[in-house]
């Protein structure tokens, strides 16, 4: 846990005033975003193993250690690893909504991009982590940002076939006609993936059905 670092005994433990979204993840329980989810430690995602102690605490959902590290003044809230991933990236990748809200309460950067151009919102969409997506969007994460392949969080949600995530992103005005580096809109991407249920849903939400003709 903390045995590999030394703390200054006189470190201030002054309480920070709670922000309006500090316990937003609990509110998500009421609206169904986190229904039936049980808190448990998850194995690290392949290719997404944390290196720094701050990122490790975020990836395992260790709130106590994370807050102690932040308050020790030995670590910056937006400290990045060698792939430019912050603790918020790891919390979103591993679906720790309570860690996400804690980091946001300490004013972490919400739209920072890693070495693949992924924001925390995009990473949450890649892993179907709807609870994290809800919190990020409520606090102001930009759904229009693209990774270095031109994919927005909406494109990734379509690739995952996750209608609930797509609906939430559209609720926060994600661009339904955004194009990847190959010029594919979310609807065209759904057709390419033979996901006709997703295609029908996007069309019902206003996607340009005529754009499908461009695939032929």
């Amino acid at each position: 846990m903390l045995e590999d670092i030394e703390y200054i005994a006189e470190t201030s433990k002054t309480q920070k005033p709670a922000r309006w979204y500090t316990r937003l993840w609990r509110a998500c329980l009421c609206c169904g975003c986190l229904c039936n989810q049980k808190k448990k430690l998850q194995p690290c995602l392949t290719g997404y193993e944390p290196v720094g102690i701050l990122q490790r605490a975020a990836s395992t959902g260790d709130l106590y250690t994370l807050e102690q590290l932040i308050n020790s003044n030995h670590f910056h809230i937006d400290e990045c690893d060698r792939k430019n991933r912050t603790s918020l990236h790891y919390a979103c990748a591993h679906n720790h909504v309570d860690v996400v809200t804690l980091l946001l309460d300490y004013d972490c950067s919400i739209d920072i991009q890693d070495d693949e151009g992924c924001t925390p919102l995009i990473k949450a969409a890649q892993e179907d982590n709807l609870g994290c997506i809800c919190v990020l969007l409520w606090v102001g994460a930009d759904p229009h940002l693209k990774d270095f392949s031109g994919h927005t969080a909406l494109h990734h949600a379509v690739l995952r076939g996750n209608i609930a995530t797509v609906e939430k992103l559209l609720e926060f005005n994600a661009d339904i006609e955004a194009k990847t580096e190959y010029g594919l809109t979310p609807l065209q991407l759904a057709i390419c993936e033979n996901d006709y249920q997703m295609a029908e849903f996007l069309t019902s939400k206003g996607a340009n059905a005529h754009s499908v003709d461009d695939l032929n």
Side-chain angles (χ1 to χ4, degrees), residues 110-145:
I110 194 170
D111 288 323
I112 192 168
Q113 292 177 292
D114 65 14
D115 66 347
E116 295 177 336
C118 292
T119 63
L121 180 64
I122 288 175
K123 181 50 65 177
Q126 287 176 341
E127 302 300 330
D128 292 331
N129 293 335
L130 183 56
C132 294
I133 289 170
C134 290
V135 173
L136 291 167
L137 290 172
W138 269 105
V139 179
D142 188 349
H144 304 297
L145 294 177

Side-chain angles (χ1 to χ4, degrees), residues 3 6 39 51-52 67 71 123 131 133 148 156 167 177 181 183 185 194 198 212 214:
E3 58 272 13
E6 294 181 2
K39 185 175 180 179
V51 176
E67 191 159 23
N71 286 330
K123 181 50 65 177
I133 289 170
F148 297 151
H156 285 289
E167 185 171 27
E177 300 298 337
E181 65 177 350
T185 66
N194 296 317
M198 178 66 74
V212 178
D214 298 334

Side-chain angles (χ1 to χ4, degrees), residues 30 38-39 46 53 59 76 79 103 108 110-111 118-119 123 134 140 149 154 156 163 169 172 189 192 195:
C30 300
K38 296 181 179 179
K39 185 175 180 179
T46 301
I53 188 172
S59 68
H76 190 278
E79 180 178 299
L103 291 168
C108 68
I110 194 170
D111 288 323
C118 292
T119 63
K123 181 50 65 177
C134 290
S149 295
L154 184 59
H156 285 289
I163 288 179
L169 288 164
F172 283 82
L189 200 57
C192 290
D195 189 344

Side-chain angles (χ1 to χ4, degrees), residues 76-96:
H76 190 278
I77 189 69
D78 291 324
E79 180 178 299
C80 298
D81 63 13
R82 62 178 179 273
K83 294 188 176 181
N84 210 41
R85 296 165 178 167
T86 66
S87 295
L88 187 60
H89 281 99
Y90 283 101
C92 290
H94 292 277
N95 200 27
H96 295 300

Side-chain angles (χ1 to χ4, degrees), residues 12-164:
S12 171
K13 302 299 180 183
T14 304
Q15 291 283 354
K16 290 172 64 68
R19 297 169 185 265
W20 65 270
Y21 50 79
T22 302
R23 290 184 175 84
L24 184 58
W25 69 280
R26 292 178 181 171
C28 288
L29 285 170
C30 300
C31 69
C33 297
L34 302 176
C35 285
N36 301 320
Q37 289 191 10
K38 296 181 179 179
K39 185 175 180 179
K40 59 182 179 180
L41 296 183
Q42 299 175 331
C44 289
L45 302 172
T46 301
Y48 219 80
E49 299 85 3
V51 176
I53 188 172
L54 198 68
Q55 289 85 10
R56 288 203 303 272
S59 68
T60 58
D62 189 347
L63 277 175
Y64 176 78
T65 299
L66 185 64
E67 191 159 23
Q68 292 295 308
L69 291 169
I70 294 170
N71 286 330
S72 73
N73 296 321
H74 292 301
F75 301 88
H76 190 278
I77 189 69
D78 291 324
E79 180 178 299
C80 298
D81 63 13
R82 62 178 179 273
K83 294 188 176 181
N84 210 41
R85 296 165 178 167
T86 66
S87 295
L88 187 60
H89 281 99
Y90 283 101
C92 290
H94 292 277
N95 200 27
H96 295 300
V97 185
D98 48 357
V99 173
V100 171
T101 57
L102 175 68
L103 291 168
L104 292 170
D105 194 39
Y106 279 92
D107 295 321
C108 68
S109 296
I110 194 170
D111 288 323
I112 192 168
Q113 292 177 292
D114 65 14
D115 66 347
E116 295 177 336
C118 292
T119 63
L121 180 64
I122 288 175
K123 181 50 65 177
Q126 287 176 341
E127 302 300 330
D128 292 331
N129 293 335
L130 183 56
C132 294
I133 289 170
C134 290
V135 173
L136 291 167
L137 290 172
W138 269 105
V139 179
D142 188 349
H144 304 297
L145 294 177
K146 299 179 178 182
D147 62 23
F148 297 151
S149 295
H151 289 69
T152 63
L154 184 59
H155 286 106
H156 285 289
V158 168
L159 284 171
R160 297 285 293 182
N162 193 322
I163 288 179

